[in-house]
Amino acid sequence: MYEKISNSGYNSHGKSPDFFYKGLKIHRQGKGILGFEQLVMEDSHLNIKTETNSGYDSTYFFPIVLTTKSYANNDPVKETKNTWD
C-alpha cells in the first residue's frame, strides 16, 4: 500500500509532483527509522515517473539505493542498479 504525500510547492508548469511512499522500515532495537522500501515521484503534467527502491546495510543500518527507474509516457527511459560489497 502506498502513502501519497502532496507537495504544496509548484514546478515551472504550475503543478507540483506527487510522491508515494511504500514499506516503512524501522529498526526495532532502537536505531529508529531506516527509510522506505520504495519512493515514487509522478509529475502528471510532464508525464514522467521515477521509482526508487531502497534497502539498508544489515551491519550498520544506513539506507542504500538499490535501483532507480525513470519513465516518460509510461515507457522506460533509464534504469540504474547499484551493487554494494
Side-chain angles (χ1 to χ4, degrees), residues 5 7-8 43 47 50 73:
I5 305 294
N7 184 346
S8 61
D43 189 324
N47 206 12
T50 302
N73 299 315

Side-chain angles (χ1 to χ4, degrees), residues 5 7 21 27 33 37 42-43 46 55 67 74-75:
I5 305 294
N7 184 346
Y21 298 86
H27 187 271
I33 295 174
E37 185 178 302
E42 291 182 354
D43 189 324
L46 297 175
T67 62
N74 292 324
D75 294 323

Side-chain angles (χ1 to χ4, degrees), residues 36-75:
F36 291 93
E37 185 178 302
Q38 186 176 58
L39 165 67
V40 177
M41 185 280 303
E42 291 182 354
D43 189 324
S44 59
H45 181 78
L46 297 175
N47 206 12
I48 59 172
K49 177 170 86 170
T50 302
E51 297 177 355
T52 303
N53 294 293
S54 300
Y56 61 89
D57 178 89
S58 60
T59 302
Y60 299 106
F61 300 101
F62 58 84
I64 54 177
V65 175
L66 301 172
T67 62
T68 302
K69 298 177 184 176
S70 299
Y71 301 87
N73 299 315
N74 292 324
D75 294 323

